[in-house]
Amino acid sequence: MSLSQHNAIGKNLQDVREKIAAAAQRCERPLEEITLLAVSKTKPASDVEKAIEAGQLAFGENYVQEGVEKIAHFAGHQPALTWHFIGPLQSNKSRLVAENFDWCHTVDRLKIAQRLNEQRPAGLAPLNVLIQVNISDEASKSGIALSDIDALAEQISQMPNLVLRGLMAIPAVETDYQRQLAVFTQMREAFDALRQRYPQADTLSMGMTDDMPAAIAAGSTMVRIGTAIFGARDYA
Ligand SMILES: *Cc1c(COP(=O)(O)O)cnc(C)c1O
């Protein structure tokens, strides 16, 4: 039986990988620069299992409790999985993120960074963090202004239990490719500036199912893909 017959998620993953490769080739970027994060929010562990069978090891979750349950479900898995927290983070949930996840993409204020730093268990590697930037979505309360990146980066860089790995953005929904590209390019410029000061900052997390090619063209190093891999989400 072919992969597609017994594992639609595996087939979807293959398609997404091909789209990433095509987008990278169009802008002459090495494919190794781009990590695919499979966003499994609202999807059962059995779907994650299918993605793992198809070779996917990096997963993104938006809801703390749901993510922690999946992390526990797959604890000890070999090869190791990496779990990325990509949802809005309230301070009363920071401990669960610090104790369970490998990455947090949504650090957008000092208080959250301080809590994650204090709550990261000593036995674990430092938590990889990204600063979330509010690049275009004025309606969103998440993310800081471009002009505030420097100050927060400086503070995070002093925290021993966090590693500043880069920037993340969720732009406002936009269907026009050129306009998607323009917004992502602003992020790329901010990322280049950040990297001048923090050489360990190697990650620019941007691009979802509907804007992935533009994100890659602008320089994304990590695309966060849910729908194209796992299908539409049911929030009912
Ligand atoms: C849900 C979500 C994604 C995945 O979005 P799709 O459009 O399903 O690919 C990526 N990033 C964040 C922050 C999300 O909340």
Side-chain angles (χ1 to χ4, degrees), residues 166-223:
L167 303 177
M168 178 269 207
I170 313 170
V173 175
E174 166 62 63
T175 53
D176 180 73
Y177 178 88
Q178 290 303 333
R179 276 184 274 180
Q180 291 174 349
L181 189 64
V183 171
F184 285 136
T185 299
Q186 288 183 280
M187 284 298 299
R188 165 61 186 276
E189 288 164 3
F191 177 57
D192 285 344
L194 186 78
R195 271 199 294 193
Q196 299 290 319
R197 276 169 294 124
Y198 306 101
Q200 79 282 7
D202 56 1
T203 303
L204 180 55
S205 165
M206 59 189 197
M208 303 172 30
T209 293
D210 292 329
D211 57 14
M212 188 182 78
I216 290 173
S220 170
T221 73
M222 191 175 281
V223 291

Side-chain angles (χ1 to χ4, degrees), residues 20-227:
I20 293 172
Q25 194 173 32
R26 275 196 299 277
C27 55
E28 299 180 346
R29 292 186 57 202
L31 189 53
E32 310 80 65
E33 264 181 31
I34 304 157
T35 299
L36 169 58
L37 192 63
V39 176
S40 43
K41 65 182 180 211
T42 79
K43 300 295 178 177
S46 55
D47 283 4
V48 173
E49 181 77 50
K50 292 194 182 95
I52 294 170
E53 276 173 33
Q56 181 66 28
L57 299 174
F59 293 91
E61 287 284 338
N62 283 60
Y63 309 104
V64 177
Q65 196 55 45
E66 181 191 345
V68 167
E69 282 166 25
K70 282 180 207 160
I71 292 168
H73 180 91
F74 291 102
H77 188 276
Q78 288 299 325
L81 307 178
T82 47
W83 292 94
H84 297 239
F85 185 74
I86 63 171
L89 183 52
Q90 297 162 339
S91 20
N92 63 353
K93 300 278 178 62
S94 64
R95 179 176 297 281
L96 282 169
V97 171
E99 291 180 346
N100 291 280
F101 283 83
D102 304 293
W103 289 67
C104 179
H105 290 218
T106 49
V107 174
D108 64 355
R109 55 200 190 276
L110 179 59
K111 183 180 173 195
I112 284 288
Q114 284 170 329
R115 289 177 69 93
L116 291 171
N117 180 55
E118 281 159 20
Q119 293 166 342
R120 183 66 168 174
L124 296 182
L127 183 69
N128 299 293
V129 301
L130 303 177
I131 293 174
Q132 182 177 358
V133 179
N134 189 347
I135 193 67
S136 64
D137 194 349
E138 279 157 24
S140 161
K141 290 186 278 315
S142 302
I144 61 171
L146 282 171
S147 55
D148 293 335
I149 294 174
D150 284 358
L152 185 56
E154 170 62 23
Q155 288 162 322
I156 291 173
S157 72
Q158 310 292 325
M159 299 181 184
N161 301 318
L162 305 183
V163 188
L164 179 62
R165 296 293 296 270
L167 303 177
M168 178 269 207
I170 313 170
V173 175
E174 166 62 63
T175 53
D176 180 73
Y177 178 88
Q178 290 303 333
R179 276 184 274 180
Q180 291 174 349
L181 189 64
V183 171
F184 285 136
T185 299
Q186 288 183 280
M187 284 298 299
R188 165 61 186 276
E189 288 164 3
F191 177 57
D192 285 344
L194 186 78
R195 271 199 294 193
Q196 299 290 319
R197 276 169 294 124
Y198 306 101
Q200 79 282 7
D202 56 1
T203 303
L204 180 55
S205 165
M206 59 189 197
M208 303 172 30
T209 293
D210 292 329
D211 57 14
M212 188 182 78
I216 290 173
S220 170
T221 73
M222 191 175 281
V223 291
R224 309 178 308 263
I225 307 298
T227 307

